[in-house]
Amino acid sequence: MKTPHERETADGDEGDVRVRELEHDDGTRLVADVGGAVGVDASLDVVEGTAIIVDGGGSQVEIDLPDGAVADDVVLNNGVLTVE
């Protein structure tokens, strides 16, 4: 496994959410704790290579997905976004 490195959010702001990219023998996994920025009850939508996470109060985080990632690869569970 390689050392993870940070990815920027889609808007270029690295202050609210840190995205870690972990490389394994069987592929790459992105993991982001978005619960602090949008809450754990947020909803997820994937549009044109971007994961859009929105909470009920209107707070929103957008994260660029790796090339080739589709909606089925993206999961939001208790404020943690995972992309396989």
Side-chain angles (χ1 to χ4, degrees):
M1 180 173 82
K2 294 182 180 177
T3 304
H5 62 276
E6 297 175 4
R7 293 174 59 97
E8 290 185 6
T9 57
D11 61 3
D13 181 11
E14 296 182 37
D16 292 335
V17 176
R18 296 286 185 197
V19 181
R20 299 286 182 198
E21 186 171 327
L22 307 168
E23 292 188 26
H24 299 275
D25 291 337
D26 60 344
T28 301
R29 176 182 295 157
L30 294 182
V31 180
D33 183 356
V34 297
V38 293
V40 296
D41 293 330
S43 63
L44 168 69
D45 195 11
V46 177
V47 178
E48 298 180 12
T50 302
I52 303 168
I53 304 104
V54 181
D55 72 4
S59 294
Q60 177 174 315
V61 172
E62 296 180 5
I63 298 174
D64 287 331
L65 299 175
D67 291 339
V70 295
D72 289 344
D73 299 333
V74 185
V75 176
L76 181 65
N77 187 15
N78 291 326
V80 177
L81 178 77
T82 305
V83 182
E84 294 291 332

